[in-house]
C-alpha cells in the first residue's frame, strides 16, 4: 500500500509542478502543489507553495486557511503568521474560525491586550455568549499580571516601558496588585 501511495504522490507532484510551470499566476495550482508537499511531509516546500498562492490571491479564504494553518503548525516565522492572520481578520471579521485563530495567535505571540479587550467588549455586548465568557475567564485566570495589561479606560498604557523600569521592585509589585 505504501508503494501505491508513494506512486500517487509522485504523480500528483509531477502534475502540480506542471500546472505551476504552465500557469504560474493561478493560485489554485500553487495551492495544489502545497497540498501535495504537505502530504509528503515537505513542510518548507508546502509553506513556499501556500505563500505563493496567498500572494497571488490574498482574499481567497482557502489560501488564507492553508497558509495560516501551515505557518501555525510548523511555527515557522511567527511574525509572518501574525501579519497574515491580522490581515485575514480584517477581511473576514465575522468568520469565527479566523477570528479564533487570530485571538489564539495574538495571545501566543502578539498583543495580549487585544485578546483581553476583544473578549471583554464581546462579553459586555453579549453576556450570554458562553464560549466567549469561558475564554475570557480562562484568559484572566491564566494571565500573569504585567505592565502591558495596566491600561487607561481608553486602552492607552498607564506606564511606558521606560517609566515602568524606573519603578523599584516594590513599586512594580504594588502597581500589579
Amino acid at each position: 500500500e505504501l508503494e501505491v501511495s508513494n506512486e500517487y504522490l509522485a504523480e500528483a507532484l509531477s502534475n502540480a509542478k506542471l500546472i505551476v510551470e504552465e500557469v504560474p499566476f493561478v493560485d489554485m495550482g500553487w495551492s495544489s502543489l502545497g497540498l501535495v508537499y504537505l502530504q509528503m511531509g515537505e513542510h518548507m516546500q508546502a509553506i513556499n507553495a501556500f505563500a505563493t498562492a496567498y500572494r497571488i490571491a490574498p482574499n481567497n479564504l482557502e489560501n488564507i486557511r492553508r497558509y495560516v494553518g501551515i505557518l501555525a503548525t510548523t511555527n515557522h516565522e511567527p511574525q509572518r503568521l501574525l501579519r497574515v492572520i491580522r490581515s485575514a481578520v480584517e477581511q473576514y471579521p465575522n468568520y469565527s474560525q479566523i477570528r479564533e485563530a487570530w485571538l489564539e495567535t495574538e495571545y501566543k505571540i502578539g498583543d495580549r491586550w487585544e485578546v483581553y479587550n476583544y473578549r471583554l467588549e464581546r462579553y459586555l455586548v453579549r453576556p450570554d455568549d458562553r464560549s466567549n465568557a469561558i475564554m475570557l475567564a480562562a484568559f484572566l485566570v491564566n494571565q500573569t499580571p504585567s505592565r502591558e495589561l495596566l491600561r487607561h479606560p481608553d486602552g492607552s498604557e498607564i506606564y511606558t516601558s521606560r517609566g515602568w523600569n524606573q519603578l523599584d521592585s516594590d513599586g512594580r509589585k504594588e502597581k500589579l496588585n
Side-chain angles (χ1 to χ4, degrees), residues 57-129:
N59 297 330
N60 181 306
L61 187 57
E62 282 305 309
N63 289 341
I64 293 168
R65 290 178 58 199
R66 287 178 179 147
Y67 192 34
V68 164
I70 190 75
L71 289 173
T73 301
T74 62
N75 201 24
H76 181 74
E77 294 190 51
Q79 291 305 312
R80 184 190 301 190
L81 169 61
L82 194 55
R83 281 191 311 272
V84 172
I85 198 70
R86 283 176 176 167
S87 173
V89 84
E90 286 177 15
Q91 292 176 55
Y92 297 97
N94 297 322
Y95 193 77
S96 63
Q97 187 179 27
I98 288 179
R99 186 178 55 250
E100 290 302 318
W102 164 67
L103 290 166
E104 182 179 336
T105 304
E106 286 288 355
Y107 182 80
K108 288 180 179 176
I109 61 173
D111 187 352
R112 290 184 178 191
W113 171 256
E114 287 288 328
V115 177
Y116 171 72
N117 195 38
Y118 175 85
R119 295 276 185 214
L120 182 61
E121 284 182 10
R122 179 137 175 121
Y123 177 75
L124 293 173
V125 172
R126 295 194 54 208
D128 59 328
D129 182 346

Side-chain angles (χ1 to χ4, degrees), residues 12-166:
L13 179 63
S14 177
N15 289 338
K17 283 182 175 180
L18 184 62
I19 290 169
V20 298
E21 286 173 12
E22 290 184 9
V23 283
F25 300 111
V26 175
D27 64 308
M28 192 182 336
W30 288 101
S31 186
S32 297
L33 182 61
L35 289 171
V36 174
Y37 279 132
L38 188 61
Q39 191 68 32
M40 295 172 67
E42 298 286 339
H43 292 122
M44 292 308 297
Q45 298 284 23
I47 288 171
N48 293 334
F50 289 139
T52 302
Y54 176 77
R55 276 193 301 274
I56 292 169
N59 297 330
N60 181 306
L61 187 57
E62 282 305 309
N63 289 341
I64 293 168
R65 290 178 58 199
R66 287 178 179 147
Y67 192 34
V68 164
I70 190 75
L71 289 173
T73 301
T74 62
N75 201 24
H76 181 74
E77 294 190 51
Q79 291 305 312
R80 184 190 301 190
L81 169 61
L82 194 55
R83 281 191 311 272
V84 172
I85 198 70
R86 283 176 176 167
S87 173
V89 84
E90 286 177 15
Q91 292 176 55
Y92 297 97
N94 297 322
Y95 193 77
S96 63
Q97 187 179 27
I98 288 179
R99 186 178 55 250
E100 290 302 318
W102 164 67
L103 290 166
E104 182 179 336
T105 304
E106 286 288 355
Y107 182 80
K108 288 180 179 176
I109 61 173
D111 187 352
R112 290 184 178 191
W113 171 256
E114 287 288 328
V115 177
Y116 171 72
N117 195 38
Y118 175 85
R119 295 276 185 214
L120 182 61
E121 284 182 10
R122 179 137 175 121
Y123 177 75
L124 293 173
V125 172
R126 295 194 54 208
D128 59 328
D129 182 346
R130 289 183 185 180
S131 176
N132 183 66
I134 290 169
M135 295 302 284
L136 176 61
F139 177 89
L140 293 171
V141 167
N142 294 316
Q143 190 60 44
T144 303
S146 66
R147 172 193 68 84
E148 293 81 11
L149 293 177
L150 295 175
R151 304 283 178 128
H152 291 288
D154 68 356
S156 62
E157 290 185 339
I158 293 175
Y159 295 100
T160 63
S161 184
R162 183 176 179 178
W164 185 254
N165 289 331
Q166 290 175 345

Side-chain angles (χ1 to χ4, degrees), residues 4-16:
V4 172
S5 177
N6 287 339
E7 267 183 53
Y8 285 126
L9 281 176
E11 185 178 342
L13 179 63
S14 177
N15 289 338

